[in-house]
Amino acid sequence: MTGEYLFISDCHLDKNRPDVTDNLVDFLTNRATQARFLYVLGDLFETWIGDDDPAIELRLIFNCFQHLSKTTEIYFLAGNRDFLFGEQGANKMKSSILKEPSFITPGSQKIGLLHGDTLCTDDGDYQQFRTMVRNKQWQDDFLGKPLAERKKIVAGLREQSKHAMQQKPTDIMDVNRQSVLDCFEELGVSTIIHGHTHRPAVHHYPGGQIRYVLGDWNPEPSYLSWTANTGFALTDPRV
Ligand code: MN
């Protein structure tokens, strides 16, 4: 497929961060309209407690995505904050949900897309938590609770997670090198793109593999682009 590919993740949209929302509105209204495809690789939202949440504070963002969908195909792969984002949510932003991992073939190369948290295998507590909340039964139970109760539960989990992160050495919240090498092998690709770690970079491996890491928006945009002429380019104020 020709045309430009754009990739973003980790905007962590939150009513307490209007600066990030403003920058995303600008990005979706201007820069992204030049692209043929926009891939959102998770944690677009700081929290997502279910598609039945009216989330009126996000109306402007949804409008921007809807508008963008007239020029650009939008794909959404969930992160650890917005893994409950489902078909109804996707309809609101005129996007298609991708399962993880997903693959694209810009030019002729096959590329793997992930959120990135599955690569952080040094953090055993987190992986255990992930297994719990990705379980269908857990999700059905959670989504069966009233919105107000879900909000409370998620706020509690956030507090626990913040506290836990302060106790953890920062290394274990990055990817595990062996897990990355295994991932290339398992997916049968030599390039992967992910976010999650908030450590924007381009990593090269001895076997020739490349790992593109998208940054969080804080509040400046962080995005990766690909065109046939330019190849990949990471735009991030820290890189
Ligand atoms: Mn994440």
Side-chain angles (χ1 to χ4, degrees):
M1 285 279 213
T2 52
E4 186 183 26
Y5 287 67
L6 282 180
F7 307 86
I8 62 171
S9 69
D10 299 281
C11 298
H12 292 269
L13 292 173
D14 180 9
K15 60 179 182 307
N16 299 319
R17 289 301 303 270
D19 50 352
V20 175
T21 298
D22 289 351
N23 284 344
L24 183 61
V25 166
D26 180 59
F27 181 83
L28 296 174
T29 318
N30 297 298
R31 179 65 182 85
T33 62
Q34 298 163 30
R36 175 142 180 212
F37 307 100
L38 173 65
Y39 287 84
V40 182
L41 300 186
D43 290 0
L44 175 63
F45 309 106
E46 176 70 0
T47 57
W48 187 265
I49 59 170
D51 288 354
D52 55 334
D53 183 352
I56 40 171
E57 68 280 7
L58 292 167
R59 192 182 293 157
L60 173 61
I61 289 292
F62 286 128
N63 286 344
C64 290
F65 274 107
Q66 282 173 21
H67 197 259
L68 176 65
S69 72
K70 292 173 188 158
T71 52
T72 307
E73 290 175 34
I74 304 162
Y75 295 93
F76 183 97
L77 187 151
N80 55 303
R81 299 296 187 81
D82 46 20
F83 60 88
L84 290 171
F85 194 81
E87 289 299 335
Q88 277 172 273
N91 284 341
K92 274 192 219 173
M93 52 186 258
K94 294 272 181 281
S95 65
S96 308
I97 300 259
L98 297 179
K99 59 177 178 32
E100 185 178 44
S102 275
F103 300 94
I104 52 169
T105 47
S108 57
Q109 44 179 343
K110 184 181 171 193
I111 290 172
L113 306 178
L114 307 163
H115 176 56
D117 53 329
T118 49
L119 301 172
C120 300
T121 48
D122 291 334
D123 191 347
D125 292 344
Y126 170 71
Q127 292 302 334
Q128 219 174 356
F129 174 78
R130 187 182 193 280
T131 303
M132 177 180 84
V133 300
R134 295 295 182 112
N135 174 278
K136 172 103 174 58
Q137 183 66 50
W138 187 93
Q139 293 189 0
D140 288 347
D141 283 350
F142 181 80
L143 291 171
K145 295 180 198 296
L147 278 171
E149 194 182 336
R150 279 182 256 163
K151 272 186 190 150
K152 249 174 135 171
I153 293 171
V154 168
L157 290 172
R158 282 302 307 136
E159 277 312 307
Q160 278 178 32
S161 160
K162 269 185 210 160
H163 182 74
M165 275 164 75
Q166 283 161 4
Q167 313 295 315
K168 287 175 191 174
T170 54
D171 291 7
I172 74 164
M173 287 184 287
D174 198 358
V175 299
N176 172 283
R177 184 178 169 86
Q178 190 56 48
S179 296
V180 170
L181 296 174
D182 293 347
C183 178
F184 286 124
E185 190 78 32
E186 281 160 23
L187 304 189
V189 296
S190 53
T191 304
I192 57 174
I193 303 171
H194 70 82
H196 179 67
T197 59
H198 300 191
R199 298 168 196 236
V202 181
H203 296 276
H204 295 265
Y205 293 85
Q209 303 98 327
I210 304 180
R211 179 169 66 95
Y212 293 98
V213 187
L214 303 164
D216 52 315
W217 289 41
N218 193 22
E220 292 83 13
S222 177
Y223 62 92
L224 182 71
S225 68
W226 181 93
T227 68
N229 287 336
T230 58
F232 282 106
L234 182 60
T235 301
D236 184 288
R238 292 152 292 189
V239 173

